[in-house]
Amino acid sequence: MMEDEDIALNSVLGLELNRVFFAVRETANKQKIIEFARKVLQSEHAEAAENASPEGPAS
C-alpha cells in the first residue's frame, strides 16, 4: 500500500520538522523553515491536482 507508506513517511517528516522548528532559536531561521514547508506543501498540492486531472497527460 503505497498510500499508507506515504502517510507514515509524512507523519515522520512532520514530527521531525516540528522538532527542528522548536530546536531553532532564531526567528529568522524559523521563518525559513516555515517558508520551506509551505513550498513543499504547495508543490505536493500542485502534483496531486495534476494527478487527479480527469483529462490525463497532454500528448
Side-chain angles (χ1 to χ4, degrees), residues 41-52:
L41 285 174
Q42 287 171 349
S43 69
E44 286 185 359
H45 285 293
E47 185 177 308
E50 287 176 10
N51 290 341

Side-chain angles (χ1 to χ4, degrees), residues 6-29:
D6 289 345
I7 291 170
L9 180 59
N10 285 340
S11 295
V12 170
L13 291 174
L15 289 171
E16 186 64 14
L17 181 61
N18 193 47
R19 185 192 67 76
V20 170
F21 182 81
F22 285 104
V24 171
R25 295 183 185 269
E26 298 82 13
T27 302
N29 287 337

